[in-house]
Amino acid sequence: MEENLNIFTLNEYDEDSVEDSKKILKDLKLNSKLNQREFEEDFWEFFCEANHVFNKFDFTKLNTYYKKTKILKYNADLKVLLKCWVANNIGTYSLSTMELALKVIIDFFNISMEMESSKVGEIKEVLNRVAAYKQEALVNGLLNLNFYDEDLLSESLVTYISNLKFEHSNKTRVIFLLIFHEKIRSFEMELSKKPHKVQLLHYLIRIWWEISMFVPMRPIEVARIKYKNIKKVDNKIHLTFDRNKGNGNLKTTVLLSESTYQLIQKYYKESREYGKSVTLFSKKALPQRKSRDQRLLEYFNRVSLDFAINKYLSMVFNDAEKELYQNDLNLFTPIVTRHISIINLIRQGYNPYEIAELAGHRSTITQYHYSRHLENLIDVDLLNIFNSFNYDKEASVYTVYRQFKKVVKSIDELPKIRHELPIGFCIEENIRCPVDGSCFDCHFWRITKDQLTIYYRDLAEHKKAKQNQIKDVLIKMVELYQNIQKYKKKRKIDKDLDIELKENAKKLEGLMSQFKDFEQVFFREVISDGQT
């Protein structure tokens, strides 16, 4: 079965995209004399070594009057956008996957020329004119393309296709993000033995990781951060940065934690030993820069960020791990943290307009993709990452660091106190129960390996019940979220809806923390016992 595009793109369209695409085509030319194609050409043909066939990308099929369509709101060169999109996905997906995606998208755009309106009925009718076996490729391709440039599709189209249910494959697994997070922590333990530029690279990655996991920044926005725009006022650290959209007029200000600020200070001071840099991150301080990164040395850019992350990944993963996590590493790009931070903001009860402001969106359209798919929101592994950040406890919408408060202790620590329970035991000294429900939901509950075999069915039933509770709350949150999106302006939002959204988010936080604690105690032991 052919692979599907992930609805979340691995890159976003920006000022470097055309140059990046030309370089990708150049690399393809160097790899094979059969792939001699130029970006300016409107017909590309590449030889697939795996299937021994030529895959064709025919941009001449695109109707030149596309601007008249009811489902497109794009006012730039659509052909250039599609070329960049295809080029940047080559290497991540198979040539045949991208060939089909481009063909069905162009066909759909051309058919949409006949639409008299962008109402749901007409969108459905046009979509149904596409062969059934191609519809999933089309929907996934459209959503992926709209993530690549959020100014592309109409709200009515995005809303409709976001509700269509297909299986989404090839997304970066959150568990891999947890693995990478642990790699950052373990690498820091041996940092003193590393060369100075490697230490600076580690600080750069930590700053990018800590900020972008909470603030939904585009990679190019991270790269452009300037040190002069980080200011401490009344013991609060403000970061103001330019958004990539809005012609330079759109800015966002967020609060940073003291620990992140101290890390930035350390990086800034030490990286300047290698020369002046207009941007916070220093291109001159990178170890072994690429040849294409030798120009404009005082400006760090998105290409520099890509290089820094790839260089770091090559350092912290050994050869065996690179083979084991090959697919995850291929899907791991700087845009991943932007997707994760938006998912986290939705789950924490931020309303669509707050998220749009923090994400630099000009509308809430792009968020439909996140809120329509509960599997993106139910991921307890994320809590392990967020819990490990020891940021300031003060929390507000624009602080961004609204933290999960429970800190999970290792289950490997042997408890000094043990109160026997019908199933398992309690390690709280005075058995002061912090939960109203089952002991399984309590952070102080533990169980022995021997008891796991006896009570496995009871525990599995509790896990299922807890998952259903989480899903019920999430469904309610998504309904509230979608109701808020119906308001055209933030100031007209029904305050009761907003309050109810945040109340449900708080309830969700508690349920997911309980579930995570339960998983850590129960399922790690089950796996170690060889049970499934």
Side-chain angles (χ1 to χ4, degrees), residues 176-191:
F176 180 74
L177 301 184
L178 184 59
I179 292 167
F180 176 68
H181 182 74
E182 291 302 317
K183 285 291 185 182
I184 292 176
R185 299 211 299 182
S186 60
F187 194 72
E188 185 147 325
M189 299 295 290
E190 53 190 59
L191 201 59

Side-chain angles (χ1 to χ4, degrees), residues 36-129:
Q36 305 302 304
R37 290 291 167 257
E38 301 293 338
F39 184 84
E40 291 73 19
E41 295 176 336
D42 288 342
F43 182 81
W44 297 353
E45 188 176 59
F46 302 115
F47 182 69
C48 177
E49 296 284 352
N51 298 320
H52 295 94
V53 296
F54 281 98
N55 293 107
K56 302 175 178 61
F57 300 88
D58 191 352
F59 299 98
T60 65
K61 299 286 187 181
L62 183 65
N63 194 313
T64 55
Y65 296 100
Y66 68 87
K67 289 183 181 179
K68 295 181 181 179
T69 180
K70 298 292 183 179
I71 63 167
L72 285 169
K73 57 176 186 175
Y74 203 62
N75 58 7
D77 194 326
L78 181 58
K79 188 179 291 185
V80 170
L81 174 69
L82 287 173
K83 286 181 178 181
C84 290
W85 178 67
V86 168
N88 276 275
N89 275 316
I90 288 177
T92 301
Y93 301 103
S94 68
L95 287 169
S96 58
T97 295
M98 291 310 303
E99 180 184 32
L100 175 61
L102 178 68
K103 184 179 185 306
V104 293
I105 284 174
I106 289 179
D107 288 346
F108 183 72
F109 284 167
N110 290 340
I111 294 172
S112 71
M113 288 284 298
E114 305 168 18
M115 295 174 62
E116 296 180 0
S117 73
S118 59
K119 293 181 179 179
V120 170
E122 194 158 0
I123 291 174
K124 184 177 180 180
E125 183 181 335
V126 172
L127 188 65
N128 286 339
R129 288 171 63 180

Side-chain angles (χ1 to χ4, degrees), residues 155 352-353 356 361-369 481 485 487:
E155 181 175 348
Y353 294 94
H361 290 150
R362 280 180 259 189
S363 72
T364 62
I365 296 175
T366 310
Q367 296 171 40
Y368 292 157
H369 311 340
Y481 193 87
Q485 282 179 311
Y487 290 86

Side-chain angles (χ1 to χ4, degrees), residues 184-201:
I184 292 176
R185 299 211 299 182
S186 60
F187 194 72
E188 185 147 325
M189 299 295 290
E190 53 190 59
L191 201 59
S192 60
K193 304 175 185 177
K194 304 295 182 183
H196 189 234
K197 281 196 172 183
V198 172
Q199 294 181 31
L200 290 176
L201 176 63

Side-chain angles (χ1 to χ4, degrees), residues 105-340:
I105 284 174
I106 289 179
D107 288 346
F108 183 72
F109 284 167
N110 290 340
I111 294 172
S112 71
M113 288 284 298
E114 305 168 18
M115 295 174 62
E116 296 180 0
S117 73
S118 59
K119 293 181 179 179
V120 170
E122 194 158 0
I123 291 174
K124 184 177 180 180
E125 183 181 335
V126 172
L127 188 65
N128 286 339
R129 288 171 63 180
V130 178
Y133 75 96
K134 295 180 179 179
Q135 286 189 13
E136 183 175 359
L138 172 60
V139 169
N140 289 354
L142 286 172
L143 291 175
N144 185 290
L145 185 57
N146 197 60
F147 266 115
Y148 189 62
D149 193 315
E150 66 190 54
D151 295 326
L152 182 64
L153 303 178
S154 70
E155 181 175 348
S156 52
L157 176 63
V158 174
T159 302
Y160 178 71
I161 64 177
S162 293
N163 277 317
L164 299 175
K165 296 297 182 182
F166 297 105
E167 292 295 324
H168 305 298
S169 59
N170 301 311
K171 67 179 180 181
T172 300
R173 295 182 301 157
V174 172
I175 187 63
F176 180 74
L177 301 184
L178 184 59
I179 292 167
F180 176 68
H181 182 74
E182 291 302 317
K183 285 291 185 182
I184 292 176
R185 299 211 299 182
S186 60
F187 194 72
E188 185 147 325
M189 299 295 290
E190 53 190 59
L191 201 59
S192 60
K193 304 175 185 177
K194 304 295 182 183
H196 189 234
K197 281 196 172 183
V198 172
Q199 294 181 31
L200 290 176
L201 176 63
H202 173 78
Y203 298 146
L204 184 158
I205 296 298
R206 262 195 64 188
I207 293 167
W208 160 72
W209 184 248
E210 293 187 11
I211 294 178
S212 63
M213 280 294 287
F214 291 91
V215 185
M217 302 176 71
R218 299 178 178 88
I220 195 169
E221 294 167 350
V222 175
R224 288 175 178 170
I225 291 175
K226 295 181 180 178
Y227 179 74
K228 68 178 183 180
N229 291 333
I230 303 172
K231 298 178 180 179
K232 194 167 188 177
V233 182
D234 297 329
N235 292 320
K236 300 287 185 181
I237 299 101
H238 299 255
L239 164 62
T240 300
F241 59 95
D242 296 322
R243 307 309 310 220
N244 192 44
K245 307 290 183 179
N247 300 319
N249 298 320
L250 188 60
K251 299 179 183 294
T252 298
T253 298
V254 296
L255 298 182
L256 300 182
S257 69
E258 181 64 34
S259 58
T260 303
Y261 180 62
Q262 293 300 326
L263 182 62
I264 289 172
Q265 293 281 77
K266 181 176 179 63
Y267 172 83
Y268 178 80
K269 180 180 178 181
E270 296 187 17
S271 64
R272 268 47 188 180
E273 295 177 15
Y274 298 93
K276 180 182 177 182
S277 176
V278 174
T279 50
L280 165 64
F281 296 129
S282 170
K283 189 182 290 188
K284 296 175 182 177
L286 288 174
Q288 302 173 2
R289 294 191 308 273
K290 281 189 173 182
S291 58
R292 70 176 294 201
D293 233 2
Q294 301 300 319
R295 296 173 296 169
L296 299 173
L297 291 180
E298 294 182 358
Y299 292 87
F300 199 83
N301 55 28
R302 186 186 54 74
V303 176
S304 309
L305 182 62
D306 289 339
F307 171 76
I309 292 173
N310 288 329
K311 184 68 178 177
Y312 190 77
L313 289 171
S314 71
M315 291 179 177
V316 299
F317 286 93
N318 60 39
D319 290 341
E321 290 170 332
K322 288 173 186 174
E323 184 175 354
L324 178 63
Y325 301 122
Q326 181 178 5
N327 190 53
D328 294 296
L329 288 166
N330 288 337
L331 296 174
F332 188 83
T333 68
I335 203 68
V336 166
T337 54
R338 177 170 165 84
H339 295 320
I340 293 298

